[in-house]
Amino acid sequence: MNKIFQAKMDVDKTIKELSQNEKKVLLTLKKLKGSASPENILKNGDFSQEVEIMNASSWLQSKKLVKIEDHIKTVYALGKEGKQYLEQGLPEKRALTLLSKKGKATLKELSSVLTSQEIPVAIGWLKKNKWINIKKDKETILEITAEGKKALKAETSEEKTLKMLSEKPNSELDKNKIKSLLTRKNIIKEKEIITSTIVLTNEGKKILEKGIKIEDEISQITSKIIKTGVWKNKAIRPYDINAFSPALYGGKPHPMVKLIGEIKQIFLEMGFEEIQGDYVESCFWNMDMLFIPQDHPAREMQDTLYCKVPSKVKVTDKKLVDKIGQVHEDGGKTGSTGWGYKFSKEEGERALLRTHTTVNTIRYLYNNPKPPCKVFSIGRVFRKENIDSTHLPEFYQIEGIIHEEGANFKQLIGVLKEFYKRMGFEKVRCRPGYFPYTEPSMEVDVFYNNQWMELGGSGIFRPEVTEPIDVKNPVLAWGLGLERLAMLKFGLKDIRDLYISDLGWLREKPLI
Ligand code: PHE
């Protein structure tokens, strides 16, 4: 397609997409020799309001068919005293009228036509204009001069300005000519106003040369137009689907909320039930129950956030506490030798913010020791971590257990691989790991963006954990990190980005 032909095509397209008001503005401008103020277009075109012209003109400007030129104008209007003097006359003129009748007057006599504030003003101007002479005898006496008499017959330039401004407020005036009025208070006001001129551009002229017609067309389709069939016989204005319009965003869930929903869905589909727990727990349930020795380094202030209020959480099942204490000390009936230290019940009652959601699954097992069961929980846990690009002191864990006859390690690997596969991670690696409450134990990693990322721990609960609560069958257990998974999913390099509430990236995320 050659260039000229292409340009011609554009003209046709532009004409087609003009609205009625845009066409009317262009035609009126043509009539007004290519440039006019909105008021002038209003007078000469078929419009009912100036805003219609301004709206259409800014659309025309965006299509480069007109230019809106703004000018700042200084204009003047009557002030409060200006209006008053227009009716009563300026103070010096009123004084002069009185003097011309009497030839001369005392200050006292002036007060019959002037207020006490106006007298000094009037005398000042009378003297300045050489309309009076002042004589001081016993009293101050004002005498009219020949010039004063002459001045009375003519309209002064000040009076002319006041009259003119009352007829045409907001007029542009020569500042030099109104100096004396401007020095006086509240007689006239200076204002700055912006006026626009709409000017046809060369493109606009081209469109007019090509010719535009105002036809009765449909610019907005309504149900009425469709029902009555009116659309059949009328032209419909084409839409410009490439026209710029600002993006509108409705409210939507945070990507993390959405992701949690997806994970829940996966576990539900795999036949699991959801369980929940509290943030504040006792050491007993969070650690003792899981055969974590009371002198374990993870219990130190380093990792665990202990609570001041409440500082203790009572453990109600005293028999269980005794049993667990025994297991810690010498293994009890579990066949284990235990840790070989003196178990403290008080230590078990210390209150903490749960450090893992394994506390939820162990409590569930205690309340439901009969197999089979498949439960999961997604919840927040707390640890004394320094915040950096891969650590937060508060994060989510995806926890789960399978308790059934014959449950085994291979099954555990299979279930975790299946979960990650459903989350979109094909490559999963299981490595040997260590947790005081599982044997065997393993770590789970996923491969993503050319690197392995450690996502969580798992294993089969030890007899030290299951025996005291009468659980006889194997329990497969896992606790996986959610935020790291989210980082991989959302392509984030910094874990903190998940919680910064930056609408920019929240809107971008493909998940939502
Ligand atoms: N509780 C462990 C953690 O917080 C994860 C885990 C859960 C390990 C269950 C084994 C079994 O890292």
Side-chain angles (χ1 to χ4, degrees), residues 355-356 358 383 397 399 435 437-438 456-459 461 477-480:
T355 60
H356 54 188
T358 318
R383 289 183 197 173
Q397 281 190 328
E399 194 82 31
F435 299 97
Y437 36 98
T438 49
S458 64
F461 279 149
W478 59 88
L480 316 167

Side-chain angles (χ1 to χ4, degrees), residues 23 129 152 205 234 263 283 308 313 340 349 372 389 393 487 491:
K23 286 183 191 171
N129 294 341
L152 205 55
K205 284 177 194 154
K234 274 195 187 177
I263 294 169
C283 276
K308 258 191 196 158
V313 175
E349 291 195 335
S389 63
M487 281 167 77

